[in-house]
Amino acid sequence: MKKVFSIIFLCIIIFGFSQNQKQTVIKQANDMRKYFMEKNYDAFSNYVYDGVIKMYGNKKKMIDASVDAINQMEKAGYTFKDVTFSEVSDIINNKAELQTVVHQKIEMETPKGKILGDYYLIGISKDNGKLWKFIDTAGKNISEMIKYFPNLSSKLNLPKKKITSQ
């Protein structure tokens, strides 16, 4: 009986830790969202995964490329109206990192009307869940993402993006 109680207690602790971690992921994704929507790209970049920044060369080059892309989109009539985060997948411990997938809903205004998109981010923490950084998957599957980031777990499930017009 004592063994059963110990196992149940351990399961409750692990589940509680996991739920707390998922709440931290959502909170930090929302912090990132806030900075993005405010166009505070320097603060936003603190939540971008280091491997993404390296792809651009450095933080300043990544910010400059992001600002240029957003300015071009806005000139063409595309504006972000809202970004929200909901489900967080199971958190995987892989190669000394915690990794997860975060569901992201994006609402945009376009020249042809409003569109809603379901996209997915990969969240990565190198400090046991204190700070999460994110990779925008841009609709790619996990095999494609691993080509760019070999540290990613193949166990991460990246659903296909969905876009609907309104």
Side-chain angles (χ1 to χ4, degrees), residues 5-48:
F5 179 74
S6 295
I7 292 171
I8 291 171
F9 183 71
L10 183 60
C11 288
I12 291 170
I13 289 173
I14 291 170
F15 179 74
F17 176 75
S18 175
Q19 288 304 104
N20 189 36
Q21 284 287 14
K22 289 180 179 186
Q23 290 171 354
T24 301
V25 171
I26 293 288
K27 184 204 176 301
Q28 291 184 17
N30 280 319
D31 291 345
M32 178 182 67
R33 171 211 170 276
K34 174 183 172 275
Y35 295 127
F36 177 79
M37 298 301 283
E38 292 173 350
K39 298 186 179 191
N40 182 345
Y41 301 116
D42 190 52
F44 166 80
S45 69
N46 292 326
Y47 294 95
V48 175

Side-chain angles (χ1 to χ4, degrees), residues 69-83:
I70 290 166
N71 286 342
Q72 287 178 15
M73 286 175 59
E74 288 177 348
K75 284 180 187 172
Y78 294 82
T79 56
F80 287 93
K81 292 298 182 187
D82 199 11
V83 178

Side-chain angles (χ1 to χ4, degrees), residues 105-106 108 113-118 162-166:
K105 283 194 170 286
I106 297 175
M108 290 188 76
K114 189 188 310 185
I115 60 169
L116 300 173
D118 288 296
K162 297 177 204 158
I163 300 173
T164 57
S165 301
Q166 290 190 331

